[in-house]
Amino acid sequence: MKKVVALILAVALFLSFAACGSKTAETTAPAETKTETTQKEPYKFSGTVTVTVPFNAGSNTDNQIRFIQPYLEKHLGANIIVVNAGGASGVIGTTDFLSQKADGTNILFSLPTPTVYKPAGGDTQYTLDDLIPVAQTSSSPFYLAVSANNQEITDGKGLLEYIKNNPGKFTYANAGNGGIAHLAFAAFLNGEGLDALSVPFTGGTADCYTAVMGGHVMGHAVSEPDLVGRTDYRVLVNLGTKSTTEGFTDIPTLEELGYPGYATDTFAGFYYMKGVDPEIVAAFDAAVAATLSDPEFQAKAAEANFGYAYLNSADFTYVCQNTTKNIIPVLKSLAN
């Protein structure tokens, strides 16, 4: 009888443990797993970033970066050192820049002559593919200007008539054959079967200006920023798109003079060398965007009549590649 009672108690105890075990299993069953994604912190600059300008100190490009510099330093979180490396229409400085380490501490600030036009013409050891367009900071037309003392040619229509009636006699200074200052007007001349003489000055805008004022050449293919504030030039033809800059809105474009399809604008921007981490590219691009949208910068830019036009890395890359595609046929036709 005791054995039967003991057996019953043992079974009851076993069932009790089983029930407890069942409850424990129910209450401690693993909850549904939740996957949390952590957003990666963006790259942060520190220390010093060296900006190579492949043109001389005091040039248009140099003036642009120095205007932007204090605001860009604020949004970049790093100090900027500007290094001027002029020569050969910017090719020397660009070539030197591309020999440096692709670690994000060195960046190029340039006009398109050494980054787009010279490579497209086969005048460099590098190509556009060796560069990463990071951000555009400005875009403006080129113009054809003469000395304000020139009494023979006083307006754009008169200039084009002079060229038509005097083949090869009109001479215009520019910052180097094969560069944008040369091709902005040469593309039009070639397309219309007109003849004018390009006179290159690799010393840059200052030498071109001296040549015009000294009467050694008749005109100058020159960018808008280089004309701001000048009263000794008579600006006759806008070789690019219609300007919105005060003092330039009334200058007729080639299209307004009856020649559509020839608009050529210059642009400035930052470039990294191939191999720089995309996160660094994106971080610098973001700093440029923040700089150009900074109210303090915009107020100072308006006060100084400093034109700016931002494009992000993807859009700036498209502009550079499309410019290359469009200029190659022109270069080939000029070579024939």
Side-chain angles (χ1 to χ4, degrees):
M1 186 67 177
K2 288 181 180 180
K3 287 184 180 181
V4 174
V5 173
L7 182 59
I8 292 172
L9 290 173
V11 172
L13 188 61
F14 172 79
L15 292 175
S16 175
F17 279 132
C20 288
S22 177
K23 284 184 180 181
T24 302
E26 286 180 14
T27 57
T28 60
E32 184 179 341
T33 304
K34 291 184 179 180
T35 304
E36 294 185 2
T37 57
T38 55
Q39 190 171 4
K40 191 174 182 180
E41 285 291 320
Y43 179 85
K44 292 188 181 298
F45 289 89
S46 62
T48 300
V49 173
T50 299
V51 178
T52 297
V53 177
F55 301 99
N56 296 332
S59 63
N60 166 32
T61 322
D62 181 61
N63 291 337
Q64 286 192 55
I65 183 59
R66 294 187 189 276
F67 187 91
I68 294 170
Q69 182 177 354
Y71 307 98
L72 181 57
E73 286 180 328
K74 179 176 74 172
H75 293 286
L76 201 62
N79 296 322
I80 290 174
I81 296 177
V82 178
V83 176
N84 296 96
S89 299
V91 171
I92 291 175
T94 305
T95 302
D96 178 67
F97 164 74
L98 287 169
S99 70
Q100 300 170 23
K101 289 183 178 179
D103 59 5
T105 62
N106 306 290
I107 196 164
L108 182 74
F109 183 75
S110 180
L111 297 177
T113 289
T115 58
V116 178
Y117 285 87
K118 287 292 187 179
D123 299 326
T124 60
Q125 297 176 347
Y126 58 86
T127 69
L128 177 62
D129 290 339
D130 293 313
L131 294 161
I132 301 173
V134 177
Q136 177 186 284
T137 58
S138 68
S139 178
S140 59
F142 259 87
Y143 296 86
L144 206 64
V146 299
S147 168
N149 296 323
N150 189 321
Q151 300 302 314
E152 185 177 7
I153 303 173
T154 58
D155 59 27
K157 183 179 179 181
L159 169 66
L160 298 184
E161 286 297 322
Y162 180 91
I163 292 173
K164 285 180 182 179
N165 298 330
N166 300 276
K169 289 189 177 181
F170 183 81
T171 56
Y172 69 100
N174 57 75
N177 281 340
I180 186 172
H182 167 221
L183 295 173
F185 194 44
F188 161 73
L189 294 171
N190 185 70
E192 294 298 321
L194 300 175
D195 186 16
L197 180 62
S198 164
V199 183
F201 290 88
T202 54
T205 301
D207 286 353
C208 294
Y209 170 77
T210 301
V212 174
M213 293 299 120
H216 305 296
V217 293
M218 298 177 69
H220 183 190
V222 58
S223 69
E224 186 172 282
D226 283 317
L227 288 168
V228 172
R230 284 201 178 279
T231 58
D232 43 8
Y233 268 153
R234 181 180 295 120
V235 186
L236 301 180
V237 180
N238 179 341
L239 302 174
T241 55
K242 193 68 176 175
S243 177
T244 58
T245 303
E246 184 180 351
F248 295 89
T249 56
D250 293 335
I251 308 300
T253 63
L254 285 170
E255 182 171 4
E256 289 173 333
L257 290 169
Y259 301 95
Y262 293 107
T264 301
D265 292 339
T266 187
F267 47 83
F270 291 97
Y271 302 80
Y272 270 128
M273 63 283 285
K274 184 173 63 177
V276 171
D277 190 323
E279 290 185 12
I280 299 178
V281 175
F284 201 99
D285 183 3
V288 174
T291 297
L292 300 187
S293 61
D294 186 321
E296 184 182 357
F297 166 82
Q298 292 181 344
K300 289 292 184 182
E303 183 181 318
N305 205 17
F306 179 89
Y308 58 92
Y310 169 72
L311 287 179
N312 64 26
S313 183
D315 292 339
F316 189 31
T317 297
Y318 172 80
V319 166
C320 293
Q321 292 175 342
N322 196 53
T323 301
T324 297
K325 183 180 73 173
N326 291 336
I327 203 61
I328 285 176
V330 175
L331 291 168
K332 287 181 178 178
S333 64
L334 289 173
N336 294 332

PDB file of all heavy atoms in Angstrom, residues 3 11 39 49 63 68 74 96 167 198 202 229 243-244 247 256 263 291 315 335:
ATOM      1  N   LYS A   3       3.842   1.431  -1.174  1.00  0.00           N
ATOM      2  CA  LYS A   3       4.453   1.521  -2.494  1.00  0.00           C
ATOM      3  C   LYS A   3       3.520   2.187  -3.489  1.00  0.00           C
ATOM      4  O   LYS A   3       3.929   2.981  -4.314  1.00  0.00           O
ATOM      5  CB  LYS A   3       4.835   0.132  -2.983  1.00  0.00           C
ATOM      6  CG  LYS A   3       6.035  -0.449  -2.260  1.00  0.00           C
ATOM      7  CD  LYS A   3       6.415  -1.782  -2.869  1.00  0.00           C
ATOM      8  CE  LYS A   3       7.630  -2.381  -2.161  1.00  0.00           C
ATOM      9  NZ  LYS A   3       8.036  -3.674  -2.739  1.00  0.00           N
ATOM     10  N   VAL A  11       4.395  10.148  -9.392  1.00  0.00           N
ATOM     11  CA  VAL A  11       3.782  10.543 -10.675  1.00  0.00           C
ATOM     12  C   VAL A  11       3.268  11.967 -10.610  1.00  0.00           C
ATOM     13  O   VAL A  11       3.459  12.777 -11.523  1.00  0.00           O
ATOM     14  CB  VAL A  11       2.639   9.566 -11.040  1.00  0.00           C
ATOM     15  CG1 VAL A  11       1.887  10.093 -12.253  1.00  0.00           C
ATOM     16  CG2 VAL A  11       3.206   8.189 -11.323  1.00  0.00           C
ATOM     17  N   GLN A  39      23.413  54.106 -38.478  1.00  0.00           N
ATOM     18  CA  GLN A  39      23.868  54.927 -39.590  1.00  0.00           C
ATOM     19  C   GLN A  39      25.320  55.319 -39.361  1.00  0.00           C
ATOM     20  O   GLN A  39      25.687  55.821 -38.296  1.00  0.00           O
ATOM     21  CB  GLN A  39      23.011  56.180 -39.718  1.00  0.00           C
ATOM     22  CG  GLN A  39      23.275  56.946 -40.988  1.00  0.00           C
ATOM     23  CD  GLN A  39      22.261  58.055 -41.184  1.00  0.00           C
ATOM     24  OE1 GLN A  39      21.416  58.265 -40.323  1.00  0.00           O
ATOM     25  NE2 GLN A  39      22.346  58.755 -42.297  1.00  0.00           N
ATOM     26  N   VAL A  49      43.965  70.905 -45.083  1.00  0.00           N
ATOM     27  CA  VAL A  49      43.721  70.451 -46.447  1.00  0.00           C
ATOM     28  C   VAL A  49      44.442  71.412 -47.395  1.00  0.00           C
ATOM     29  O   VAL A  49      44.289  72.632 -47.281  1.00  0.00           O
ATOM     30  CB  VAL A  49      42.216  70.428 -46.780  1.00  0.00           C
ATOM     31  CG1 VAL A  49      42.000  70.119 -48.259  1.00  0.00           C
ATOM     32  CG2 VAL A  49      41.491  69.402 -45.917  1.00  0.00           C
ATOM     33  N   ASN A  63      41.739  84.146 -57.004  1.00  0.00           N
ATOM     34  CA  ASN A  63      40.858  85.072 -56.284  1.00  0.00           C
ATOM     35  C   ASN A  63      39.587  84.381 -55.810  1.00  0.00           C
ATOM     36  O   ASN A  63      39.072  84.672 -54.721  1.00  0.00           O
ATOM     37  CB  ASN A  63      40.502  86.259 -57.183  1.00  0.00           C
ATOM     38  CG  ASN A  63      41.687  87.163 -57.445  1.00  0.00           C
ATOM     39  OD1 ASN A  63      42.640  87.189 -56.665  1.00  0.00           O
ATOM     40  ND2 ASN A  63      41.653  87.899 -58.541  1.00  0.00           N
ATOM     41  N   ILE A  68      36.354  82.227 -51.148  1.00  0.00           N
ATOM     42  CA  ILE A  68      35.583  81.136 -50.547  1.00  0.00           C
ATOM     43  C   ILE A  68      36.248  80.596 -49.279  1.00  0.00           C
ATOM     44  O   ILE A  68      35.570  80.122 -48.359  1.00  0.00           O
ATOM     45  CB  ILE A  68      35.417  79.994 -51.577  1.00  0.00           C
ATOM     46  CG1 ILE A  68      34.558  80.445 -52.756  1.00  0.00           C
ATOM     47  CG2 ILE A  68      34.801  78.752 -50.948  1.00  0.00           C
ATOM     48  CD1 ILE A  68      34.539  79.460 -53.917  1.00  0.00           C
ATOM     49  N   LYS A  74      35.222  76.885 -42.308  1.00  0.00           N
ATOM     50  CA  LYS A  74      34.225  76.734 -41.233  1.00  0.00           C
ATOM     51  C   LYS A  74      33.403  75.470 -41.423  1.00  0.00           C
ATOM     52  O   LYS A  74      33.198  74.697 -40.478  1.00  0.00           O
ATOM     53  CB  LYS A  74      33.305  77.962 -41.202  1.00  0.00           C
ATOM     54  CG  LYS A  74      32.219  77.883 -40.141  1.00  0.00           C
ATOM     55  CD  LYS A  74      31.392  79.163 -40.097  1.00  0.00           C
ATOM     56  CE  LYS A  74      30.457  79.286 -41.269  1.00  0.00           C
ATOM     57  NZ  LYS A  74      29.518  80.429 -41.153  1.00  0.00           N
ATOM     58  N   ASP A  96      51.311  68.010 -61.379  1.00  0.00           N
ATOM     59  CA  ASP A  96      51.950  67.864 -60.062  1.00  0.00           C
ATOM     60  C   ASP A  96      50.939  67.384 -59.021  1.00  0.00           C
ATOM     61  O   ASP A  96      51.238  66.511 -58.195  1.00  0.00           O
ATOM     62  CB  ASP A  96      52.564  69.190 -59.633  1.00  0.00           C
ATOM     63  CG  ASP A  96      53.203  69.102 -58.256  1.00  0.00           C
ATOM     64  OD1 ASP A  96      54.216  68.380 -58.114  1.00  0.00           O
ATOM     65  OD2 ASP A  96      52.699  69.743 -57.308  1.00  0.00           O
ATOM     66  N   PRO A 167      38.994  89.113 -93.367  1.00  0.00           N
ATOM     67  CA  PRO A 167      39.443  87.780 -92.943  1.00  0.00           C
ATOM     68  C   PRO A 167      40.893  87.789 -92.440  1.00  0.00           C
ATOM     69  O   PRO A 167      41.785  88.311 -93.104  1.00  0.00           O
ATOM     70  CB  PRO A 167      39.316  86.937 -94.221  1.00  0.00           C
ATOM     71  CG  PRO A 167      38.323  87.664 -95.064  1.00  0.00           C
ATOM     72  CD  PRO A 167      38.519  89.121 -94.777  1.00  0.00           C
ATOM     73  N   SER A 198      44.046  83.873 -83.412  1.00  0.00           N
ATOM     74  CA  SER A 198      44.220  83.660 -81.979  1.00  0.00           C
ATOM     75  C   SER A 198      45.664  83.961 -81.596  1.00  0.00           C
ATOM     76  O   SER A 198      46.603  83.475 -82.229  1.00  0.00           O
ATOM     77  CB  SER A 198      43.885  82.202 -81.623  1.00  0.00           C
ATOM     78  OG  SER A 198      44.382  81.863 -80.345  1.00  0.00           O
ATOM     79  N   THR A 202      50.540  82.534 -72.515  1.00  0.00           N
ATOM     80  CA  THR A 202      50.513  81.543 -71.438  1.00  0.00           C
ATOM     81  C   THR A 202      50.730  82.182 -70.062  1.00  0.00           C
ATOM     82  O   THR A 202      50.552  81.530 -69.048  1.00  0.00           O
ATOM     83  CB  THR A 202      51.582  80.463 -71.666  1.00  0.00           C
ATOM     84  OG1 THR A 202      52.871  81.092 -71.837  1.00  0.00           O
ATOM     85  CG2 THR A 202      51.273  79.658 -72.922  1.00  0.00           C
ATOM     86  N   GLY A 229      34.264  95.174 -62.730  1.00  0.00           N
ATOM     87  CA  GLY A 229      34.900  96.390 -62.231  1.00  0.00           C
ATOM     88  C   GLY A 229      35.790  97.107 -63.230  1.00  0.00           C
ATOM     89  O   GLY A 229      36.269  98.214 -62.959  1.00  0.00           O
ATOM     90  N   SER A 243      23.892  86.348 -69.247  1.00  0.00           N
ATOM     91  CA  SER A 243      24.346  86.599 -67.882  1.00  0.00           C
ATOM     92  C   SER A 243      23.264  87.285 -67.053  1.00  0.00           C
ATOM     93  O   SER A 243      22.456  88.063 -67.575  1.00  0.00           O
ATOM     94  CB  SER A 243      25.597  87.475 -67.899  1.00  0.00           C
ATOM     95  OG  SER A 243      26.017  87.778 -66.584  1.00  0.00           O
ATOM     96  N   THR A 244      23.287  86.988 -65.759  1.00  0.00           N
ATOM     97  CA  THR A 244      22.390  87.664 -64.817  1.00  0.00           C
ATOM     98  C   THR A 244      23.182  88.588 -63.897  1.00  0.00           C
ATOM     99  O   THR A 244      22.628  89.163 -62.970  1.00  0.00           O
ATOM    100  CB  THR A 244      21.613  86.639 -63.968  1.00  0.00           C
ATOM    101  OG1 THR A 244      22.558  85.802 -63.263  1.00  0.00           O
ATOM    102  CG2 THR A 244      20.723  85.767 -64.832  1.00  0.00           C
ATOM    103  N   GLY A 247      25.648  94.600 -64.736  1.00  0.00           N
ATOM    104  CA  GLY A 247      26.635  95.178 -65.627  1.00  0.00           C
ATOM    105  C   GLY A 247      26.888  94.363 -66.878  1.00  0.00           C
ATOM    106  O   GLY A 247      27.553  94.835 -67.815  1.00  0.00           O
ATOM    107  N   GLU A 256      21.726  85.927 -79.730  1.00  0.00           N
ATOM    108  CA  GLU A 256      20.963  87.165 -79.936  1.00  0.00           C
ATOM    109  C   GLU A 256      21.460  87.934 -81.159  1.00  0.00           C
ATOM    110  O   GLU A 256      20.712  88.713 -81.747  1.00  0.00           O
ATOM    111  CB  GLU A 256      21.055  88.034 -78.689  1.00  0.00           C
ATOM    112  CG  GLU A 256      20.272  87.465 -77.508  1.00  0.00           C
ATOM    113  CD  GLU A 256      20.503  88.238 -76.223  1.00  0.00           C
ATOM    114  OE1 GLU A 256      21.581  88.850 -76.065  1.00  0.00           O
ATOM    115  OE2 GLU A 256      19.603  88.223 -75.366  1.00  0.00           O
ATOM    116  N   ALA A 263      27.135  78.687 -77.513  1.00  0.00           N
ATOM    117  CA  ALA A 263      27.371  79.167 -76.152  1.00  0.00           C
ATOM    118  C   ALA A 263      28.410  78.329 -75.414  1.00  0.00           C
ATOM    119  O   ALA A 263      28.303  77.108 -75.335  1.00  0.00           O
ATOM    120  CB  ALA A 263      26.058  79.165 -75.367  1.00  0.00           C
ATOM    121  N   THR A 291      28.820  75.749 -47.708  1.00  0.00           N
ATOM    122  CA  THR A 291      29.499  77.036 -47.843  1.00  0.00           C
ATOM    123  C   THR A 291      28.720  77.977 -48.750  1.00  0.00           C
ATOM    124  O   THR A 291      28.464  79.136 -48.400  1.00  0.00           O
ATOM    125  CB  THR A 291      30.912  76.840 -48.422  1.00  0.00           C
ATOM    126  OG1 THR A 291      31.687  76.059 -47.506  1.00  0.00           O
ATOM    127  CG2 THR A 291      31.605  78.170 -48.661  1.00  0.00           C
ATOM    128  N   ASP A 315      26.476  65.887 -60.797  1.00  0.00           N
ATOM    129  CA  ASP A 315      26.132  66.845 -61.850  1.00  0.00           C
ATOM    130  C   ASP A 315      27.377  67.498 -62.439  1.00  0.00           C
ATOM    131  O   ASP A 315      27.447  67.755 -63.648  1.00  0.00           O
ATOM    132  CB  ASP A 315      25.181  67.912 -61.311  1.00  0.00           C
ATOM    133  CG  ASP A 315      23.811  67.344 -60.981  1.00  0.00           C
ATOM    134  OD1 ASP A 315      23.466  66.272 -61.515  1.00  0.00           O
ATOM    135  OD2 ASP A 315      23.089  67.965 -60.179  1.00  0.00           O
ATOM    136  N   ALA A 335      42.041  71.240 -86.250  1.00  0.00           N
ATOM    137  CA  ALA A 335      43.332  70.638 -86.619  1.00  0.00           C
ATOM    138  C   ALA A 335      43.445  70.388 -88.114  1.00  0.00           C
ATOM    139  O   ALA A 335      44.548  70.225 -88.649  1.00  0.00           O
ATOM    140  CB  ALA A 335      43.541  69.335 -85.862  1.00  0.00           C
TER     141      ALA A 335
END
